[in-house]
Amino acid sequence: QKEVEQDPGPLSVPEGAIVSLNCTYSNSAFQYFMWYRQYSRKGPELLMYTYSSGNKEDGRFTAQVDKSSKYISLFIRDSQPSDSATYLCAMSGNQFYFGTGTSLTVIP
Amino acid sequence: DAMVIQNPRYQVTQFGKPVTLSCSQTLNHNVMYWYQQKSSQAPKLLFHYYDKDFNNEADTPDNFQSRRPNTSFCFLDIRSPGLGDAAMYLCATSRGTTYEQYFGPGTRLTVT
């Protein structure tokens, strides 16, 4: 079983839609949870960073962590074409692990 | 602005010809990482330095080496590039191995 599982998509939504991106994990030692956005041919950019369970909001982005279910989510409200990118979840305990990324396209 | 810088952004090398990629950071982070990322795949960790301590991933080929002469700089040396080494190489930094990582823009390597 992989440490981190992420649906690769691709995911295609109309502009203005609410997007939900998810990852599951198996290691209960993970304490730090991150979401990265990666545009084509660019390096990953840190979007959200949370410690332990709970929600964190930043503008149109909300990150949720449910440690009891080993499940994290990233919600994007009022999605824009500029949100089209690959979104990678990442988490760490003693080591750092990436998900495989979900490709998102927001159609104008 | 504090940042992670990678040079060059694009590198073309010939099969078997050694190549060096460089990374510098102004974040003063203890940890520097090198990742390889191929198309539509997640970044794959090659190795990292915690201060001067080098940590190699078990499946990183011997063809890949790294140097960290000081806190700010880290180099990736590919001794004999093969066609399969064509990829984006990403440098990242963090305060510690459990904390969030900050990435540079990457160097896209082409092997001819």
Side-chain angles (χ1 to χ4, degrees):
Chain A
Q1 186 183 7
K2 281 187 184 177
E3 296 278 356
V4 181
E5 300 272 2
Q6 183 175 9
D7 186 340
L11 186 61
S12 186
V13 301
E15 183 175 353
I18 296 174
V19 176
S20 171
L21 304 166
N22 310 294
C23 288
T24 59
Y25 62 95
S26 57
N27 190 339
S28 57
F30 289 148
Q31 297 279 2
Y32 299 90
F33 304 90
M34 288 137 280
W35 285 95
Y36 288 84
R37 176 175 63 195
Q38 186 173 24
Y39 291 113
S40 181
R41 297 178 175 263
K42 306 278 186 184
E45 170 196 7
L46 181 66
L47 267 183
M48 301 287 283
Y49 170 72
T50 54
Y51 173 71
S52 199
S53 281
N55 292 0
K56 186 173 183 178
E57 189 172 317
D58 184 2
R60 296 184 295 111
F61 298 89
T62 300
Q64 282 187 353
V65 175
D66 182 349
K67 290 190 73 177
S68 62
S69 303
K70 297 191 177 69
Y71 188 86
I72 70 170
S73 300
L74 177 71
F75 297 96
I76 308 174
R77 289 185 299 281
D78 187 25
S79 55
Q80 303 294 310
S82 58
D83 296 328
S84 299
T86 296
Y87 290 81
L88 295 145
C89 65
M91 46 199 80
S92 66
N94 295 323
Q95 285 184 283
F96 197 95
Y97 294 92
F98 274 104
T100 51
T102 300
S103 175
L104 170 68
T105 300
V106 180
I107 302 165
Chain B
D1 285 341
M3 54 200 305
V4 182
I5 302 159
Q6 288 187 247
N7 285 303
R9 293 294 310 280
Y10 301 90
Q11 176 74 56
V12 180
T13 191
Q14 292 177 332
F15 183 93
K17 186 173 180 182
V19 66
T20 295
L21 310 182
S22 74
C23 177
S24 63
Q25 55 130 343
T26 60
L27 296 159
N28 204 31
H29 282 169
N30 297 99
V31 191
M32 294 187 77
Y33 307 81
W34 280 105
Y35 287 87
Q36 180 192 64
Q37 188 177 29
K38 296 190 176 181
S39 184
S40 302
Q41 295 182 21
K44 179 181 181 300
L45 182 63
L46 295 173
F47 25 60
H48 74 273
Y49 273 94
Y50 196 123
D51 293 325
K52 293 187 179 220
D53 293 333
F54 178 70
N55 298 271
N56 199 30
E57 293 300 298
D59 57 353
T60 298
D62 292 340
N63 198 25
F64 292 88
Q65 306 279 315
S66 186
R67 296 169 282 135
R68 189 180 185 185
N70 54 52
T71 301
S72 301
F73 285 86
C74 196
F75 299 97
L76 171 62
D77 300 308
I78 308 176
R79 292 193 295 186
S80 182
L83 296 178
D85 296 328
M88 173 79 93
Y89 289 88
L90 295 162
C91 174
T93 73
S94 67
R95 290 177 287 152
T97 54
T98 58
Y99 294 100
E100 71 276 21
Q101 296 182 17
Y102 294 87
F103 284 82
T107 294
R108 180 162 295 279
L109 178 69
T110 300
V111 182
T112 61

